[in-house]
Amino acid sequence: MDKKWVFESLVKDDKDTIGLIAYALYKNKKHTLATSLRKEGKAEDYIQQQVQTFHDQTLQNNSLGDYRETATNFLNKIFSELEDDIRTKFEKEKAQLEKQHQKNVTNEKRKLFQNIKNYQHANRAWYEKLGAWLLSGIPGLASSFFITCLIIGASVLLITEDKRQDMLRSLWAEYFGIQQQAPNQPTKPTTTPKP
């Protein structure tokens, strides 16, 4: 009777990954059996006999399918762990890339708006620059004073001398709190009654 080999029963060809892993699992179990018997102090003939019995039972009890199933589960577990590792790394890299992309987009927007602002500022007409200066923050305060002075000055030039004097007195009195007495008004003498 020809000896039947477990390798030939488990492995279909050189590309049969499941079969090769199943055979490695079988060899591992066989090695574990021999090692445990040696630790128990059994004789080498007895160990060889037990290993042969294990070999024969594996082939007779049709446990080759169990080895292939265990190998399939083992590979599936490895693939699952690899997939999880790859997915975790991918998600981490994706998050970093998205963060970097968002930062780059924000920087590019800022640069674009700054370039637009610089271009508009450089290509404004003088009257637009003057208008912007007059309407902006702190210069706005100075421009308001300047415009008020222009309006008052223009209105002072368009009215008569008497009205101009009255208007200037009222402006001084209202804005600076200075009261001036009109020079044309005679003062009334104060009379004290005689006893």
Side-chain angles (χ1 to χ4, degrees):
M1 181 172 152
D2 286 340
K3 184 171 181 178
K4 194 169 181 185
W5 298 97
V6 174
F7 182 85
E8 292 174 353
S9 299
L10 279 175
V11 181
K12 296 173 186 172
D13 56 38
D14 291 346
K15 295 178 183 177
D16 181 13
T17 309
I18 301 291
L20 291 169
I21 293 173
Y23 183 70
L25 292 171
Y26 158 77
K27 288 298 266 184
N28 180 52
K29 202 166 185 180
K30 189 175 174 183
H31 172 73
T32 304
L33 173 65
T35 305
S36 67
L37 291 173
R38 281 190 187 98
K39 283 183 182 178
E40 291 175 9
K42 304 292 182 183
E44 199 59 37
D45 290 341
Y46 177 77
I47 294 171
Q48 288 301 321
Q49 184 184 23
Q50 291 301 314
V51 168
Q52 186 60 44
T53 303
F54 173 77
H55 169 84
D56 295 340
Q57 286 177 346
T58 299
L59 291 171
Q60 289 173 359
N61 293 339
N62 229 4
S63 27
L64 299 176
D66 294 340
Y67 284 110
R68 287 189 69 86
E69 185 178 337
T70 304
T72 302
N73 293 338
F74 181 75
L75 271 181
N76 287 338
K77 184 179 177 185
I78 290 174
F79 289 148
S80 178
E81 288 173 2
L82 284 173
E83 186 178 355
D84 289 344
D85 286 347
I86 291 170
R87 184 179 294 113
T88 302
K89 288 178 184 176
F90 173 76
E91 292 297 329
K92 186 177 178 182
E93 288 176 9
K94 180 182 172 187
Q96 288 174 345
L97 286 174
E98 285 176 353
K99 185 177 178 182
Q100 185 62 40
H101 174 71
Q102 190 61 38
K103 185 178 177 183
N104 290 345
V105 167
T106 303
N107 288 340
E108 290 302 317
K109 281 182 182 177
R110 189 179 306 119
K111 286 179 188 175
L112 177 64
F113 289 135
Q114 187 62 42
N115 288 341
I116 290 171
K117 185 177 177 182
N118 292 343
Y119 177 80
Q120 288 175 338
H121 182 70
N123 293 315
R124 276 194 218 170
W126 67 269
Y127 55 86
E128 290 176 332
K129 289 180 182 178
L130 178 64
W133 183 82
L134 290 175
L135 296 175
S136 65
I138 294 174
L141 182 62
S143 65
S144 297
F145 179 75
F146 178 71
I147 291 172
T148 303
C149 289
L150 283 177
I151 292 171
I152 291 172
S155 62
V156 166
L157 293 175
L158 297 175
I159 57 175
T160 64
E161 184 67 33
D162 292 337
K163 288 185 179 180
R164 188 178 311 149
Q165 291 295 329
D166 289 340
M167 187 177 87
L168 287 174
R169 268 190 236 108
S170 67
L171 285 173
W172 280 104
E174 186 174 335
Y175 289 107
F176 300 109
I178 299 174
Q179 295 286 337
Q180 292 182 350
Q181 189 175 8
N184 296 342
Q185 295 178 350
T187 57
K188 292 184 182 180
T190 54
T191 55
T192 54
K194 292 183 182 180

